[in-house]
Protein backbone atom coordinates (compact mmCIF):
# COMPACT_ATOMS: atom_id res chain seq x y z
CA UNK A 1 0.00 0.00 0.00
CA UNK A 2 1.39 3.42 -0.93
CA UNK A 3 -1.11 6.29 -1.13
CA UNK A 4 -4.06 7.09 1.15
CA UNK A 5 -6.60 9.85 0.51
CA UNK A 6 -7.79 11.71 3.62
CA UNK A 7 -11.04 13.72 3.66
CA UNK A 8 -11.42 16.43 6.34
CA UNK A 9 -14.41 16.98 8.59
CA UNK A 10 -16.56 19.91 9.64
CA UNK A 11 -14.60 22.72 11.21
CA UNK A 12 -12.08 22.86 8.36
CA UNK A 13 -14.36 25.00 6.17
CA UNK A 14 -13.65 28.62 5.28
CA UNK A 15 -15.35 31.17 3.05
CA UNK A 16 -14.51 30.77 -0.62
CA UNK A 17 -13.22 27.20 -0.32
CA UNK A 18 -14.95 26.00 -3.50
CA UNK A 19 -13.51 28.92 -5.44
CA UNK A 20 -10.03 27.98 -4.23
CA UNK A 21 -10.13 24.42 -5.56
CA UNK A 22 -7.56 23.39 -8.20
CA UNK A 23 -8.24 24.42 -11.78
CA UNK A 24 -9.06 21.07 -13.35
CA UNK A 25 -11.72 19.64 -15.65
CA UNK A 26 -12.75 17.08 -13.00
CA UNK A 27 -13.31 19.86 -10.48
CA UNK A 28 -15.53 21.69 -12.97
CA UNK A 29 -17.44 18.49 -13.75
CA UNK A 30 -18.01 17.74 -10.07
CA UNK A 31 -19.31 21.24 -9.31
CA UNK A 32 -21.69 21.03 -12.27
CA UNK A 33 -22.91 17.61 -11.13
CA UNK A 34 -23.44 18.92 -7.60
CA UNK A 35 -25.54 21.78 -8.93
CA UNK A 36 -27.73 19.34 -10.84
CA UNK A 37 -28.22 17.09 -7.80
CA UNK A 38 -28.96 19.94 -5.38
CA UNK A 39 -30.92 22.03 -7.88
CA UNK A 40 -29.02 25.19 -7.04
CA UNK A 41 -25.92 27.21 -7.85
CA UNK A 42 -23.27 25.62 -5.64
CA UNK A 43 -21.02 28.59 -6.25
CA UNK A 44 -22.99 30.35 -3.52
CA UNK A 45 -22.54 27.57 -0.96
CA UNK A 46 -19.19 28.78 0.34
CA UNK A 47 -19.95 32.38 1.30
CA UNK A 48 -19.80 33.44 4.93
CA UNK A 49 -23.55 33.63 5.42
CA UNK A 50 -24.37 30.29 3.79
CA UNK A 51 -21.67 28.49 5.75
CA UNK A 52 -23.60 29.25 8.93
CA UNK A 53 -25.77 26.31 7.84
CA UNK A 54 -24.62 22.83 8.91
CA UNK A 55 -26.14 21.36 5.75
CA UNK A 56 -24.25 23.82 3.51
CA UNK A 57 -20.96 23.17 5.29
CA UNK A 58 -21.28 19.41 4.89
CA UNK A 59 -22.32 19.66 1.24
CA UNK A 60 -19.40 21.98 0.50
CA UNK A 61 -16.86 19.69 2.17
CA UNK A 62 -18.16 16.69 0.21
CA UNK A 63 -17.99 18.58 -3.09
CA UNK A 64 -14.46 19.84 -2.41
CA UNK A 65 -13.17 16.43 -1.38
CA UNK A 66 -14.70 14.47 -4.25
CA UNK A 67 -13.73 17.09 -6.85
CA UNK A 68 -10.08 16.97 -5.78
CA UNK A 69 -10.00 13.19 -5.48
CA UNK A 70 -11.37 12.91 -9.02
CA UNK A 71 -8.74 15.33 -10.28
CA UNK A 72 -5.98 13.29 -8.64
CA UNK A 73 -7.27 10.05 -10.13
CA UNK A 74 -7.51 11.70 -13.56
CA UNK A 75 -3.79 12.44 -13.14
CA UNK A 76 -3.16 8.74 -12.38
CA UNK A 77 -2.89 9.14 -8.62
CA UNK A 78 -5.06 6.37 -7.21
CA UNK A 79 -5.52 5.58 -3.52
CA UNK A 80 -4.85 2.20 -2.00
CA UNK A 81 -6.89 3.34 0.99
CA UNK A 82 -9.32 6.13 1.90
CA UNK A 83 -10.36 7.63 5.21
CA UNK A 84 -12.69 10.50 6.06
CA UNK A 85 -13.08 12.32 9.34
CA UNK A 86 -16.77 12.62 10.25
CA UNK A 87 -18.59 14.01 7.18
CA UNK A 88 -15.43 13.23 5.23
CA UNK A 89 -16.40 9.54 5.42
CA UNK A 90 -18.90 10.15 2.61
CA UNK A 91 -16.17 11.55 0.37
CA UNK A 92 -14.03 8.52 1.20
CA UNK A 93 -16.89 6.19 0.25
CA UNK A 94 -17.26 7.97 -3.10
CA UNK A 95 -13.50 7.84 -3.77
CA UNK A 96 -13.41 4.07 -3.27
CA UNK A 97 -16.43 3.58 -5.53
CA UNK A 98 -18.83 2.23 -2.89
CA UNK A 99 -21.23 5.17 -3.07
CA UNK A 100 -21.96 7.39 -6.07
CA UNK A 101 -21.39 11.12 -5.73
CA UNK A 102 -25.07 11.87 -6.39
CA UNK A 103 -26.17 9.38 -3.71
CA UNK A 104 -23.64 10.73 -1.24
CA UNK A 105 -24.63 14.36 -1.85
CA UNK A 106 -28.32 13.62 -1.34
CA UNK A 107 -27.58 11.78 1.92
CA UNK A 108 -25.24 14.50 3.16
CA UNK A 109 -27.81 17.21 2.37
CA UNK A 110 -30.43 15.43 4.48
CA UNK A 111 -27.93 14.53 7.21
CA UNK A 112 -26.95 18.18 7.62
CA UNK A 113 -30.55 19.36 7.67
CA UNK A 114 -31.53 16.75 10.26
CA UNK A 115 -28.60 17.72 12.49
CA UNK A 116 -29.37 21.40 12.20
CA UNK A 117 -33.07 20.90 12.87
CA UNK A 118 -32.36 18.75 15.92
CA UNK A 119 -29.93 21.30 17.39
CA UNK A 120 -30.49 24.75 15.89
CA UNK A 121 -28.55 26.49 18.67
CA UNK A 122 -26.96 26.06 22.08
CA UNK A 123 -24.72 23.10 21.20
CA UNK A 124 -21.44 22.36 19.44
CA UNK A 125 -17.90 21.04 19.76
CA UNK A 126 -14.74 22.04 21.60
CA UNK A 127 -11.16 20.94 20.93
CA UNK A 128 -8.72 20.16 23.74
CA UNK A 129 -5.00 19.74 23.08
CA UNK A 130 -2.38 18.70 25.60
CA UNK A 131 -4.49 16.28 27.67
CA UNK A 132 -5.02 12.60 26.93
CA UNK A 133 -8.31 10.75 26.51
CA UNK A 134 -8.42 9.54 30.12
CA UNK A 135 -7.88 13.06 31.45
CA UNK A 136 -10.55 14.58 29.21
CA UNK A 137 -12.94 11.75 30.01
CA UNK A 138 -12.48 12.51 33.70
CA UNK A 139 -13.36 16.18 33.15
CA UNK A 140 -16.42 15.25 31.10
CA UNK A 141 -17.59 12.76 33.72
CA UNK A 142 -17.40 15.40 36.45
CA UNK A 143 -19.34 18.00 34.47
CA UNK A 144 -21.88 16.10 32.37
CA UNK A 145 -25.47 15.89 33.58
CA UNK A 146 -28.85 15.61 31.90
CA UNK A 147 -29.05 19.42 31.97
CA UNK A 148 -25.40 19.82 30.88
CA UNK A 149 -24.74 17.03 28.35
CA UNK A 150 -21.14 16.46 27.25
CA UNK A 151 -19.41 13.56 25.52
CA UNK A 152 -16.05 12.76 23.96
CA UNK A 153 -16.70 12.87 20.22
CA UNK A 154 -13.33 12.65 18.46
CA UNK A 155 -9.94 11.20 19.34
CA UNK A 156 -7.86 12.89 16.66
CA UNK A 157 -4.50 12.19 18.30
CA UNK A 158 -3.37 10.89 21.71
CA UNK A 159 -3.48 14.45 23.09
CA UNK A 160 -5.98 16.05 20.72
CA UNK A 161 -9.52 15.32 21.88
CA UNK A 162 -12.85 16.84 20.81
CA UNK A 163 -15.85 17.11 23.12
CA UNK A 164 -19.50 17.50 22.05
CA UNK A 165 -22.30 18.96 24.13
CA UNK A 166 -24.26 22.01 25.20
CA UNK A 167 -22.67 25.46 25.23
CA UNK A 168 -22.74 25.61 29.02
CA UNK A 169 -21.17 22.17 29.37
CA UNK A 170 -18.46 22.97 26.83
CA UNK A 171 -17.63 26.23 28.59
CA UNK A 172 -17.14 24.31 31.82
CA UNK A 173 -15.11 21.55 30.14
CA UNK A 174 -12.73 23.96 28.41
CA UNK A 175 -12.26 25.97 31.61
CA UNK A 176 -11.33 22.86 33.59
CA UNK A 177 -9.10 21.60 30.78
CA UNK A 178 -7.10 24.83 30.87
CA UNK A 179 -6.81 24.54 34.64
CA UNK A 180 -5.39 21.03 34.20
CA UNK A 181 -2.72 22.23 31.77
CA UNK A 182 -4.27 21.94 28.31
CA UNK A 183 -2.29 24.05 25.87
CA UNK A 184 -5.47 24.69 23.86
CA UNK A 185 -9.12 24.39 24.85
CA UNK A 186 -11.55 26.27 22.62
CA UNK A 187 -14.76 26.01 20.65
CA UNK A 188 -14.77 24.82 17.05
CA UNK A 189 -16.75 26.26 14.14
CA UNK A 190 -19.38 23.52 14.46
CA UNK A 191 -22.85 24.31 15.77
CA UNK A 192 -24.12 20.76 16.43
CA UNK A 193 -22.99 18.11 18.97
CA UNK A 194 -21.63 15.64 16.43
CA UNK A 195 -20.61 12.05 17.19
CA UNK A 196 -22.39 11.49 20.45
CA UNK A 197 -25.65 9.83 21.61
CA UNK A 198 -27.57 13.11 21.26
CA UNK A 199 -27.61 12.45 17.50
CA UNK A 200 -28.93 8.89 17.65
CA UNK A 201 -32.28 9.93 16.05
CA UNK A 202 -30.34 11.36 13.09
CA UNK A 203 -28.34 8.14 12.77
CA UNK A 204 -31.57 6.11 12.81
CA UNK A 205 -33.01 8.16 9.95
CA UNK A 206 -29.82 7.96 7.86
CA UNK A 207 -29.70 4.22 8.46
CA UNK A 208 -33.22 3.87 7.06
CA UNK A 209 -32.33 5.84 3.94
CA UNK A 210 -28.97 4.29 3.17
CA UNK A 211 -30.47 0.82 3.53
CA UNK A 212 -32.35 1.48 0.26
CA UNK A 213 -29.21 2.39 -1.71
CA UNK A 214 -27.31 -0.38 -3.51
CA UNK A 215 -23.65 -0.05 -2.59
CA UNK A 216 -20.69 -1.43 -4.53
CA UNK A 217 -17.59 -3.27 -3.26
CA UNK A 218 -14.80 -0.78 -2.45
CA UNK A 219 -11.92 -0.49 -4.89
CA UNK A 220 -9.66 0.65 -2.04
CA UNK A 221 -9.49 -0.11 1.67
CA UNK A 222 -11.92 2.08 3.66
CA UNK A 223 -11.04 3.11 7.23
CA UNK A 224 -14.01 3.33 9.57
CA UNK A 225 -14.89 6.29 11.80
CA UNK A 226 -16.41 4.30 14.63
CA UNK A 227 -13.70 1.72 15.10
CA UNK A 228 -10.74 3.18 13.26
CA UNK A 229 -10.39 -0.16 11.49
CA UNK A 230 -10.00 -1.25 7.88
CA UNK A 231 -13.22 -2.26 6.13
CA UNK A 232 -13.30 -4.29 2.92
CA UNK A 233 -16.96 -4.84 2.11
CA UNK A 234 -19.87 -2.59 1.21
CA UNK A 235 -22.17 -3.63 4.05
CA UNK A 236 -19.59 -2.75 6.70
CA UNK A 237 -19.10 0.64 5.05
CA UNK A 238 -22.88 1.14 4.96
CA UNK A 239 -23.07 0.65 8.73
CA UNK A 240 -20.23 3.05 9.36
CA UNK A 241 -21.75 5.80 7.18
CA UNK A 242 -25.19 5.33 8.71
CA UNK A 243 -24.24 5.30 12.37
CA UNK A 244 -21.03 7.27 12.82
CA UNK A 245 -22.82 10.54 13.56
CA UNK A 246 -23.89 9.14 16.94
CA UNK A 247 -20.54 7.58 17.90
CA UNK A 248 -17.05 8.94 18.60
CA UNK A 249 -14.59 9.20 15.71
CA UNK A 250 -11.41 7.16 16.36
CA UNK A 251 -9.36 9.16 13.87
CA UNK A 252 -5.97 8.52 15.41
CA UNK A 253 -6.66 4.78 15.33
CA UNK A 254 -7.56 5.03 11.63
CA UNK A 255 -4.33 6.87 10.81
CA UNK A 256 -2.28 4.38 12.83
CA UNK A 257 -3.88 1.44 11.01
CA UNK A 258 -3.13 3.07 7.66
CA UNK A 259 0.49 3.39 8.69
CA UNK A 260 0.57 -0.26 9.79
CA UNK A 261 -0.87 -1.29 6.43
CA UNK A 262 2.08 0.32 4.70
CA UNK A 263 0.83 3.74 3.66
CA UNK A 264 3.82 5.86 2.70
CA UNK A 265 2.03 8.96 1.41
CA UNK A 266 -1.06 10.66 2.87
CA UNK A 267 -2.83 13.17 0.60
CA UNK A 268 -5.35 15.38 2.41
CA UNK A 269 -8.20 16.78 0.33
CA UNK A 270 -9.18 20.47 0.56
CA UNK A 271 -9.86 22.39 2.67
CA UNK A 272 -8.04 20.35 5.29
CA UNK A 273 -4.57 20.36 6.78
CA UNK A 274 -5.23 19.18 10.35
CA UNK A 275 -4.64 15.52 9.47
CA UNK A 276 -1.49 16.42 7.56
CA UNK A 277 -0.11 18.03 10.72
CA UNK A 278 -1.16 15.04 12.85
CA UNK A 279 0.58 12.59 10.51
CA UNK A 280 3.72 14.73 10.37
CA UNK A 281 3.90 14.87 14.17
CA UNK A 282 3.04 11.27 14.98
CA UNK A 283 4.49 9.38 12.00
CA UNK A 284 7.61 11.28 10.90
CA UNK A 285 8.78 8.39 8.72
CA UNK A 286 5.95 8.91 6.20
CA UNK A 287 4.96 11.82 3.95
CA UNK A 288 1.78 13.88 4.31
CA UNK A 289 0.64 16.57 1.88
CA UNK A 290 -2.23 19.02 2.29
CA UNK A 291 -3.48 19.85 -1.20
CA UNK A 292 -5.15 22.99 0.15
CA UNK A 293 -1.72 24.23 1.26
CA UNK A 294 0.57 22.84 -1.44
CA UNK A 295 -1.57 22.39 -4.53
CA UNK A 296 -2.69 19.61 -6.86
CA UNK A 297 0.37 19.76 -9.08
CA UNK A 298 2.71 19.37 -6.13
CA UNK A 299 0.72 16.37 -4.87
CA UNK A 300 0.80 14.63 -8.26
CA UNK A 301 4.57 15.12 -8.56
CA UNK A 302 5.14 13.73 -5.05
CA UNK A 303 2.87 10.76 -5.78
CA UNK A 304 4.70 10.07 -9.06
CA UNK A 305 7.99 9.94 -7.18
CA UNK A 306 6.53 7.34 -4.80
CA UNK A 307 5.27 5.24 -7.70
CA UNK A 308 8.71 5.22 -9.30
CA UNK A 309 10.49 4.51 -6.02
Amino acid sequence: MTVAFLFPGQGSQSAGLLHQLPQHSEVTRTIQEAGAVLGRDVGALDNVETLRSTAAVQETLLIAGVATARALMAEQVHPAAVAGMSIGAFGAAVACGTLSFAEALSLVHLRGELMQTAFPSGFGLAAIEGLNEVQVEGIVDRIATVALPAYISNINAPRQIVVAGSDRALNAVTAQARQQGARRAERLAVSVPSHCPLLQPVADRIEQLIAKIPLRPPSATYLSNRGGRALYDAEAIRRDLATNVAHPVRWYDALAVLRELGTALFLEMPPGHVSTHIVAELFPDVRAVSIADQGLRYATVVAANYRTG
Side-chain angles (χ1 to χ4, degrees):
M1 187 178 293
T2 301
V3 178
F5 285 5
L6 304 180
F7 294 78
Q10 198 169 341
S12 61
Q13 72 275 3
S14 60
L17 73 92
L18 291 179
H19 294 79
Q20 296 162 10
L21 291 175
Q23 296 295 312
H24 195 281
S25 60
E26 286 299 310
V27 173
T28 302
R29 178 173 75 89
T30 303
I31 289 175
Q32 290 173 344
E33 184 180 353
V37 172
L38 295 174
R40 62 183 297 188
D41 175 15
V42 298
L45 276 178
D46 63 355
N47 64 55
V48 173
E49 187 59 35
T50 306
L51 287 177
R52 299 183 193 278
S53 160
T54 296
V57 169
Q58 296 189 6
E59 292 159 9
T60 303
L61 293 176
L62 176 65
I63 294 166
V66 170
T68 306
R70 284 175 166 179
L72 285 166
M73 289 187 279
E75 299 299 323
Q76 304 308 309
V77 180
H78 297 279
V82 295
M85 181 189 288
S86 186
I87 190 61
F90 287 86
V94 174
C96 71
T98 292
L99 189 63
S100 77
F101 178 54
E103 292 163 342
L105 192 54
S106 296
L107 283 169
V108 165
H109 172 76
L110 180 61
R111 181 181 186 267
E113 288 196 332
L114 289 171
M115 292 169 71
Q116 187 169 301
T117 299
F119 295 96
S121 63
F123 289 81
L125 302 179
I128 298 171
E129 295 183 9
L131 302 181
N132 63 33
E133 184 177 355
V134 172
Q135 290 173 305
V136 175
E137 189 171 26
I139 294 171
V140 168
D141 287 345
R142 288 192 295 274
I143 288 171
T145 64
V146 173
L148 296 174
Y151 305 86
I152 288 181
S153 66
N154 292 58
I155 300 91
N156 293 338
R159 290 182 176 273
Q160 188 180 121
I161 315 295
V162 178
V163 177
S166 69
D167 289 345
R168 290 174 58 206
L170 294 179
N171 290 341
V173 167
T174 53
Q176 284 205 19
R178 287 190 288 269
Q179 289 175 5
Q180 290 194 22
R183 65 174 178 267
R184 174 178 173 242
E186 60 186 34
R187 295 293 298 272
L188 297 176
V190 180
S191 58
V192 291
S194 303
H195 303 292
C196 76
L198 295 172
L199 288 180
Q200 187 59 51
V202 175
D204 292 341
R205 180 64 177 138
I206 298 300
E207 193 165 16
Q208 293 171 358
L209 294 172
I210 202 170
K212 302 174 183 177
I213 298 174
L215 302 187
R216 293 155 289 281
S219 60
T221 302
Y222 171 100
L223 275 292
S224 72
N225 267 231
R226 284 186 59 177
R229 294 293 178 262
L231 303 180
Y232 301 97
D233 68 88
E235 288 309 310
I237 295 172
R238 186 195 305 274
R239 289 191 295 274
D240 187 65
L241 293 173
T243 62
N244 70 35
V245 73
H247 295 268
V249 176
R250 312 269 337 166
W251 189 241
Y252 170 70
D253 290 348
L255 295 177
V257 168
L258 283 171
R259 180 68 192 97
E260 291 168 5
L261 290 173
T263 300
L265 175 63
F266 292 82
L267 298 179
E268 186 172 7
M269 304 302 111
H273 51 239
V274 169
S275 294
T276 299
H277 295 163
I278 292 173
V279 170
E281 179 179 353
L282 299 177
F283 310 113
D285 57 329
V286 302
R287 187 75 176 273
V289 174
S290 163
I291 295 170
D293 292 344
Q294 296 177 286
L296 181 71
R297 177 59 182 164
Y298 180 86
T300 58
V301 169
V302 170
N305 289 338
Y306 275 80
R307 287 199 303 273
T308 60

